[in-house]
């Protein structure tokens, strides 16, 4: 049969029309789930079933008039084969449990936008799945979204909602930015003031830091430890790894406000500091003392308990990253071992002025303050490694050298990722100029709080995570890519939705699909598929940016942004 182009996002490797017509799903269509497919069975019964009024009574492996789920060890772990054939019903086979789950996401799209609702809008209607054979697997292992819940807190229900949105787009890593100058969002039982004091600020800058406007309503919130356990478990059911970020040694004023001894007390009166209420690079950084090290070791001990690594997967300390086609590869088990420690935007002025910091530099025989930060980061890289975990940080952690086994989030362009890969470190490509979703989507004056470069849907679709200058061996160090949703100017769910969608759908296709070179990508075809995908987003209640521009209630007239004119640098 000739290939066809259903409106699937992200685009699968191959789709063939198996026969005319399709297979009808009715309330009595049986479901059989083979060993290892329990997460998908539960998702079908809890999500797809209620949306369409499907009861999914139990079936058998030989059922030919229903839906069957099974593992197939001839497929790569995240690969799947969705076959809808006359007289054989629907079968989803995956190389691993994740593959079966991604196949179920494709099935949902084939069933139309009603499948994305919470309850039936057409009770009793028969749903027909077109006779298709879809064979698919991801290009990259790390397909992520970073949510910044520190600048503006996102309640737990919002995080769970975004995990569902990620799953619908076959994204598998939530980078969870939990701490910053403007708020500490995770309960640490041994240090209760981190949330009692550090999770609330008295007011908030409205717009860019140069804006004269303020919101004088106190802002804050945090996740209890049981909230975190719930988020991690909910993500795991959707084959999403949650990578927590505890930002050190910069972006730490909320922690210092709660525990002033963590700051450079010989330089500044840290007892007078409060949780920061504006944006930008903060001069108040952690002191490089044993007190600080022991404090954050205590923090991380609780973090490791709340974000457990899956012990059944392959070692994340392999000398080279496992191939996505390796039978032993499990993206969830690998990436759940990571802990992000930030490491970005740490001004050294206080360390230069601090006798304590200068003595530490002298005692360690270090060259300068950059080397001191490298020592600080290296301490936690070793501490995590001793506990079977793996450090990842922003590309500044390369300064002064990086511990073996540590990985890099390349945000200041491609250069950090290239340097890290050439030095033998794994890399997640997320350059600010291309996939920071707080950046504006159009140059028009109606764009709300314009930040950074214009990054349209097409710009994101043509983003290429692997720099051309890398050798094939070094390119193998690129684990994948993620979009970063910083929240300085996204104060609620609707604003986050507007900045993230529809561009996250484009990033998902870049991360998943085997696309040609950027200039050769069929953006017109992607737009045609997005016309159908917008109806799915509508059903999910996503307040995305419409193709024609912001709706009246999505604008923010008079709120100052920080637009940057011109095209962003490519490297």
């Amino acid at each position: 049969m000739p290939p066809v182009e259903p409106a699937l996002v992200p685009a699968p490797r191959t789709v063939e029309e198996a026969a005319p017509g399709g297979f009808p799903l009715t309330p009595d269509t049986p479901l059989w789930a083979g060993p290892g497919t329990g997460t998908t069975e539960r998702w079908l019964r809890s999500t797809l079933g209620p949306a369409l009024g499907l009861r999914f009574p139990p079936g058998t492996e030989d059922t030919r008039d229903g839906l069957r789920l099974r593992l197939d060890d001839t497929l790569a772990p995240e690969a799947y084969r969705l076959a809808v054939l006359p007289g054989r019903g629907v079968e989803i086979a995956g190389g691993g449990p994740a593959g079966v789950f991604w196949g179920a996401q494709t099935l949902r799209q084939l069933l139309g936008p009603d499948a994305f609702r919470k309850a039936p809008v057409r009770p009793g209607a028969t749903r027909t799945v077109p006779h298709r054979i879809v064979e698919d697997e991801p290009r990259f292992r790390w397909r992520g979204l970073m949510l910044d819940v520190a600048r503006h807190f996102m309640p737990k229900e919002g995080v769970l909602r975004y995990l569902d949105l990620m799953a619908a787009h076959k994204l598998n890593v939530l980078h969870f930015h939990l701490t910053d100058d403007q708020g500490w969002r995770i309960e640490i039982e041994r240090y209760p003031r981190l949330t009692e004091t550090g999770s609330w600020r008295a007011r908030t800058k409205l717009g860019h830091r140069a804006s004269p406007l303020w919101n004088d309503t106190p802002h804050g919130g945090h996740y209890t430890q049981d909230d975190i356990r719930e988020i991690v478990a909910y993500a795991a059911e959707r084959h999403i790894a949650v990578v927590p970020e505890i930002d050190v040694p910069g972006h730490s004023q909320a922690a210092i406000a709660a525990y002033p001894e963590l700051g450079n007390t010989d330089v500044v009166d840290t007892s007078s500091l409060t949780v920061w209420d504006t944006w930008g690079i903060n001069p108040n950084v952690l002191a490089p003392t044993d007190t600080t090290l022991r404090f954050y070791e205590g923090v991380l001990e609780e973090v490791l308990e709340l974000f457990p690594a899956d012990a059944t997967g392959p070692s994340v300390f392999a000398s080279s990253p496992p191939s996505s086609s390796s039978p032993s590869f499990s993206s969830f088990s690998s990436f759940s071992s990571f802990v992000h420690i930030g490491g970005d935007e740490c001004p050294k002025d206080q360390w230069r002025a601090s006798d304590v910091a200068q003595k530490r530099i002298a005692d360690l025989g270090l060259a300068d303050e950059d080397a001191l930060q490298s020592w600080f980061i290296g301490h936690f890289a070793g501490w995590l490694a001793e506990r079977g975990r793996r450090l990842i940080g922003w590309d500044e952690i390369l300064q002064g050298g990086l511990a073996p086994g540590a990985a890099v989030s390349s945000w200041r362009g491609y250069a950090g990722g290239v340097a890290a890969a050439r030095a033998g470190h794994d890399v997640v490509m997320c350059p600010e100029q291309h996939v920071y979703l707080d950046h504006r989507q159009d140059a028009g004056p109606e764009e709300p709080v314009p930040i950074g470069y214009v990054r349209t849907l097409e710009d994101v679709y043509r983003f290429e995570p692997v720099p051309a200058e890398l050798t094939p061996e070094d390119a193998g160090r690129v684990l994948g890519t993620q979009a970063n949703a910083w929240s300085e100017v996204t104060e609620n769910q609707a604003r986050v939705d507007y900045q993230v969608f529809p561009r996250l759908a484009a990033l998902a296709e870049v991360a998943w699909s085997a696309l040609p070179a950027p200039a050769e990508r069929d953006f017109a075809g992607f737009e045609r598929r997005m016309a159908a995908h917008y109806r799915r987003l509508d059903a999910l209640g996503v307040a995305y940016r419409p193709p024609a521009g912001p709706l009246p209630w999505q604008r923010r007239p008079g709120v100052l942004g920080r637009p940057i004119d011109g095209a962003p640098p490519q490297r």
Side-chain angles (χ1 to χ4, degrees):
M1 292 289 180
V4 294
E5 185 191 15
L8 298 176
V9 178
R13 296 291 175 111
T14 64
V15 182
E16 292 186 1
E17 184 177 14
F23 174 76
L25 287 180
T26 72
D28 297 320
T29 297
L31 168 63
W32 175 79
T37 67
T39 54
T40 302
E41 179 188 13
R42 288 189 291 274
W43 180 84
L44 287 168
R45 294 190 184 282
S46 65
T47 302
L48 190 62
L52 299 177
L54 304 175
R55 294 191 293 269
F56 289 127
T60 68
E61 185 175 3
D62 297 326
T63 296
R64 291 294 178 265
D65 60 348
L67 176 57
R68 301 180 304 283
L69 311 175
R70 66 180 183 87
L71 299 183
D72 181 346
D73 61 10
T74 68
L75 300 173
E78 287 194 284
Y80 67 89
R81 182 177 187 268
L82 169 62
V84 187
L85 302 172
R88 299 189 62 184
V90 180
E91 179 174 278
I92 303 174
V100 178
F101 185 74
W102 305 134
Q105 302 309 309
T106 298
L107 173 65
R108 187 189 198 186
Q109 291 196 13
L110 290 173
L111 286 166
D114 287 356
F116 291 79
R117 298 189 178 275
K118 297 289 188 183
V121 293
R122 294 169 182 81
T126 297
R127 305 292 173 167
T128 299
V129 190
H131 288 134
R132 297 285 189 272
I133 298 175
V134 182
E135 295 185 336
D136 201 8
E137 66 177 297
R139 177 188 178 191
F140 289 109
R141 294 173 284 143
W142 185 299
R143 308 180 302 279
L145 171 66
M146 190 221 69
L147 282 180
D148 170 16
V149 297
R151 272 56 176 270
H152 278 99
F153 179 63
M154 178 180 286
K156 179 194 69 178
E157 291 74 14
V159 178
L160 300 179
R161 173 177 177 266
Y162 258 85
L163 288 167
D164 281 330
L165 291 171
M166 290 175 64
H169 292 84
K170 301 184 174 73
L171 298 172
N172 68 341
V173 180
L174 172 64
H175 174 173
F176 207 16
H177 185 81
L178 288 163
T179 74
D180 216 296
D181 298 303
Q182 296 86 0
W184 184 285
R185 304 299 179 210
I186 178 172
E187 178 188 22
I188 302 297
E189 291 179 346
R190 73 187 72 184
Y191 302 128
R193 294 206 304 274
L194 286 172
T195 46
E196 291 171 358
T197 298
S199 70
W200 285 90
R201 59 179 181 262
R203 62 176 188 168
T204 299
K205 175 64 70 175
L206 189 59
H208 182 250
R209 59 182 175 269
S211 168
L213 304 176
W214 293 88
N215 181 341
D216 289 321
T217 302
H219 177 83
H222 73 275
Y223 309 106
T224 68
Q225 294 205 350
D226 280 348
D227 289 338
I228 294 291
R229 292 185 181 100
E230 180 182 359
I231 288 167
V232 171
Y234 195 86
E237 278 285 299
R238 286 146 184 80
H239 298 276
I240 297 171
V242 183
V243 175
E245 180 178 354
I246 305 296
D247 215 337
V248 298
H251 288 292
S252 298
Q253 184 162 316
I256 297 170
Y259 292 90
E261 64 271 22
L262 298 174
N264 294 283
T265 57
D266 60 339
V267 176
V268 64
D269 178 13
T270 56
S271 65
S272 68
L273 296 177
T274 60
V275 178
W276 213 26
D277 57 12
T278 190
W279 320 121
I281 299 177
N282 191 315
N284 296 302
V285 302
L286 297 174
T289 63
D290 289 344
T291 295
T292 300
L293 297 181
R294 300 293 88 77
F295 183 95
Y296 276 89
E297 287 170 0
V299 168
L300 290 172
E301 283 177 2
E302 295 192 27
V303 168
L304 297 192
E305 188 274 327
L306 295 170
F307 296 87
D310 186 315
T312 62
S315 170
V316 296
F317 296 97
S319 58
S320 61
S323 165
S324 63
S325 61
S326 167
S328 64
F329 175 74
S330 166
S331 64
F332 175 76
S333 60
S334 291
F335 299 148
S336 63
S337 297
F338 279 102
V339 175
H340 206 291
I341 50 71
D344 63 316
E345 297 181 328
C346 178
K348 308 300 191 298
D349 295 343
Q350 289 186 358
W351 288 358
R352 293 186 186 98
S354 167
D355 291 339
V356 172
Q358 292 302 310
K359 185 176 186 302
R360 177 70 88 176
I361 289 173
D363 290 346
L364 293 170
L366 301 175
D368 54 21
E369 290 76 20
D370 285 341
L372 181 60
Q373 176 166 330
S374 177
W375 166 81
F376 191 102
I377 298 298
H379 172 84
F380 288 105
W383 188 92
L384 289 167
E386 289 172 357
R387 290 154 180 80
R389 306 301 283 269
R390 193 171 177 189
L391 180 146
I392 185 170
W394 303 110
D395 55 57
E396 287 97 328
I397 68 175
L398 289 164
Q399 298 167 1
L402 185 56
V408 170
S409 301
S410 186
W411 77 275
R412 295 180 299 172
Y414 287 89
V418 170
R422 287 174 173 169
H425 297 283
D426 288 340
V427 177
V428 176
M429 282 294 186
C430 50
E432 174 187 16
Q433 304 89 342
H434 302 279
V435 291
Y436 268 33
L437 300 186
D438 55 320
H439 281 211
R440 57 194 174 135
Q441 303 181 65
D442 189 85
E446 294 179 339
E447 205 66 28
V449 198
I451 299 294
Y453 294 102
V454 172
R455 293 287 84 191
T456 66
L457 182 65
E458 181 173 1
D459 291 329
V460 175
Y461 190 69
R462 297 193 189 279
F463 164 63
E464 173 49 49
V466 180
E469 62 263 39
L470 290 181
T471 66
E473 180 180 0
D474 291 339
R477 288 288 180 185
V478 178
L479 298 174
T481 185
Q482 67 181 37
N484 294 341
W486 298 103
S487 67
E488 288 94 334
V489 298
T490 53
E491 69 278 5
N492 55 41
Q493 176 177 294
R495 283 288 293 123
V496 175
D497 281 3
Y498 180 92
Q499 293 299 134
V500 169
F501 286 99
R503 292 181 295 179
L504 188 64
L507 186 280
E509 184 147 315
V510 168
W512 178 277
S513 304
L515 298 177
E520 300 168 6
R521 293 177 188 172
D522 182 10
F523 179 68
F526 177 72
E527 281 190 304
R528 286 194 295 274
R529 287 182 284 120
M530 282 301 299
H533 198 64
Y534 286 124
R535 296 179 61 204
R536 300 174 188 134
L537 297 179
D538 288 334
L540 289 166
V542 177
Y544 57 85
R545 181 189 189 275
L551 299 168
W553 52 87
Q554 293 175 320
R555 302 166 190 161
R556 293 291 185 276
V559 180
L560 182 66
R562 183 184 60 90
I564 303 175
D565 293 331
Q570 293 302 304
R571 288 290 179 263

